[in-house]
Amino acid sequence: MKRQGAVSRKAASRGVAYSSSPVLEVKLPSWRSRLVLFFLFIAFIALISRALFLQVKSTDFLQKQGENRYARTMELPATRGKITDRNGQVLASSIPVKAIWAIPEDVQDTPKEKLRQLASLLGISDADLAKKLNSDKTFVYLKRQVENETADKIMALGIPGVDTRKEYKRYYPEGEVMAHVVGFTNVEDIGQEGMELGAEKNLAGKNGSRRVIKDRLGRIVEDIRAIREPHNGKDLTLSIDSKIQYIAYTHLKEAVEKHKAKAGGAVVIDAQTGEVLALVNLPTYNPNERGGLTGAQLRNRVLTDTFEPGSTMKPISVAWALETGRVTPDTVFQTAPGIMTIGPAVIHDAHKEGALTVAQVIQKSSNIGTAKMALQMSPKEMWELYTTVGFGQQPKIGFPGAVAGRLRNYKNWRPIEQATMSYGHGISVSLIQMARAYTIFARDGDLIPVTFEKTDHLVKGQRVISDKTAQQMRLMMESVTQPGGTATQARIPGYRVAGKTGTAHKLEGGRYVNKYVADFVGFAPVSKPRVIVAVMIDEPTVGGHYGGVVAAPVFAAITANVLRSLNVTPDSSVTSIIPDTNAVQESM
């Protein structure tokens, strides 16, 4: 009994066999547990592989992506170079302003009262502000080029997600007087017109950049490093003289208003250096306030508008006849009866003059006398002369928009076309081309380049005619302004003046219409020319339309003041001018 009880206790101490209990009995096959274990092992290996891939192979990519969440590259704007006149007076400069920007998502919970205040400070309507902020973009500009004082008031509102960015705004102290010379920049401070566009590369400089860390509200919390330092633009000194520019602008404006003209232009060139001392156009605009600008206001007519120059072309044609020995100043041409037939066409003079010397052909502005001299030349010869002085070619003056004008190839000329071109019909030029061509008379036969940048030395020109021919032409052109000439209103007390009037019908739709362009190109003083002044009045409607009546007085007013401004010594003893009521009008 004792032994049996001992065995029972021993069996009890060992417990019941695992497989003997129906509750604990394993009913699943053993291979499934092994399969689960295998898949867990595979997943573990995959996780290790992915971790190794991310930590080793994709480190640079992931760091870059992470950095994009908080790091930003900020542009450091370069300051645009100043533009000054030849005496250092500032014509264009950059002033610091602010761009107001926002993160639309962060502004959504802003009280409406603050948003109304923001819209008021920005100068826009509540609806426009709401439209900007109701955007799915992460960044929007609310307004560019805001004055610093206004920007400070905006930041004082404390609107989350609204911040400022430093930028620059171009300011033009001379306003409309200098508009067509200087031009203007856009909101990105990139040149759009005038010298702002022509000298963009040097004026703009190069922006810099730096890497910073920003929080979600756009605030800079750490400056990482500078990537590139900004390089400010270079200052530009123009040949323009602000005082002379204002003189030209004032007198041109008076003439355009007096004659109720459509437009006008004037240019003043230093005859010694080729520097443009003044260039003005009307209508004009204020580059500081460009709202509602029209194409007519933007057009730089001195450079971009072409017209038939009329009789201002005659001195160039006659000069070549003198240069080649075909005529002398005393050679006589019969212009009676004031009509000349060339094939089926007829040309005429405004006044029947009869026999005229070459000098008188210039003084009286005879179309017939000029045509007879021109027909002694070959078409190729005349074409080469005109191209040499710059007609039909785009002026290389470093100024955008300058046009070439129209000069057809000589191979297509008919005799009547050769004749009419000699006195400025059938050819188109710009005012600056005409002014430059007259340097051959002011510079003793040399054609000199024209520039808008200040130079300190005399330039070497291209010989076109001899100094003898140039001096002969100066005397002939001086007679144009004397009693009996077509431009007596171009005379200036104390100075000898030479020049030529021009009047031409305008072409519209391929046909001549009863609209006119009146121009005058001249220089002074005759003894030693210092300035060349060209004036063009487009479509004068009151007080006449001839160049001698409309443009010549403007030339006189501008030139007189310019010569005094430059302290040019007078070369005439005439101290007062009596108006010539019997002045001859040029032929058209």
Side-chain angles (χ1 to χ4, degrees), residues 481-528:
T481 67
Q482 301 299 314
T486 60
T488 56
Q489 295 187 56
R491 290 178 294 172
I492 301 172
Y495 295 97
R496 295 169 59 194
V497 173
K500 189 70 188 74
T501 55
T503 307
H505 284 280
K506 294 186 69 174
L507 273 169
E508 290 185 0
R511 300 179 62 184
Y512 286 106
V513 295
N514 287 325
K515 298 178 182 179
Y516 304 90
V517 174
D519 61 315
F520 185 91
V521 186
F523 47 86
V526 172
S527 57
K528 188 178 180 181

Side-chain angles (χ1 to χ4, degrees), residues 87-99:
N87 300 312
Q89 182 169 331
V90 176
L91 305 179
S93 63
S94 296
I95 57 176
V97 289
K98 297 288 180 63

Side-chain angles (χ1 to χ4, degrees), residues 145 328 456:
Q145 297 187 344
T328 68
D456 297 318

Side-chain angles (χ1 to χ4, degrees), residues 3 71 122 130 250 259 308 343 402 409 415 434 485 551 558 563 583:
R3 183 174 177 83
L122 291 173
T250 301
H259 296 287
E308 291 191 346
N409 190 283
M434 207 71 230
I558 293 174
L563 293 175

Side-chain angles (χ1 to χ4, degrees), residues 190-209:
I190 299 173
Q192 301 296 296
E193 294 285 345
M195 291 306 296
E196 290 278 32
L197 174 59
E200 169 66 23
K201 185 176 180 180
N202 290 329
L203 286 169
K206 294 183 179 180
N207 292 339
S209 60

Side-chain angles (χ1 to χ4, degrees), residues 1 47-48 55 111 136 139 142 155 207 212 286 295 318 330 423 429 470 500 576 586:
M1 289 291 293
L47 288 173
I48 292 176
Q55 294 294 325
D136 56 359
F139 174 95
L142 300 181
M155 294 309 298
N207 292 339
V212 298
N286 185 345
V318 172
D330 297 322
Y423 56 82
V429 301
K500 189 70 188 74
S576 62
E586 72 273 14

Side-chain angles (χ1 to χ4, degrees), residues 299-378:
R299 278 165 58 184
N300 192 335
R301 299 169 189 274
V302 172
L303 301 176
T304 64
D305 281 20
T306 60
F307 57 95
E308 291 191 346
S311 296
T312 52
M313 182 68 76
K314 291 174 181 174
I316 296 171
S317 304
V318 172
W320 193 247
L322 286 171
E323 180 69 16
T324 55
R326 291 183 171 94
V327 299
T328 68
D330 297 322
T331 301
V332 176
F333 286 90
Q334 182 57 255
T335 65
I339 296 175
M340 179 180 176
T341 301
I342 302 176
V346 176
I347 63 175
H348 63 275
D349 283 338
H351 303 278
K352 298 177 182 180
E353 299 289 352
L356 297 175
T357 64
V358 170
Q360 290 173 323
V361 166
I362 292 294
Q363 183 187 36
K364 306 294 184 181
S365 195
S366 169
N367 291 343
I368 294 173
T370 307
K372 286 186 174 181
M373 281 182 264
L375 291 174
Q376 294 180 9
M377 311 174 199
S378 68

Side-chain angles (χ1 to χ4, degrees), residues 221-292:
V221 296
E222 185 179 347
D223 196 336
I224 303 175
R225 68 184 184 277
I227 299 176
R228 185 176 63 251
E229 294 295 331
H231 294 283
N232 293 334
K234 297 179 181 178
D235 293 344
L236 175 64
T237 301
L238 299 182
S239 59
I240 297 293
D241 187 313
S242 295
K243 186 185 296 184
I244 294 176
Q245 178 81 5
Y246 183 76
I247 290 170
Y249 172 80
T250 301
H251 291 295
L252 181 67
K253 185 177 182 181
E254 289 177 355
V256 169
E257 292 175 351
K258 175 182 177 181
H259 296 287
K260 297 189 183 303
K262 176 183 178 181
V267 60
V268 181
I269 296 175
D270 190 313
Q272 299 177 358
T273 63
E275 296 171 293
V276 177
L277 301 178
L279 182 152
V280 294
N281 294 276
L282 286 170
T284 184
Y285 62 95
N286 185 345
N288 298 305
E289 301 291 340
R290 299 193 296 273

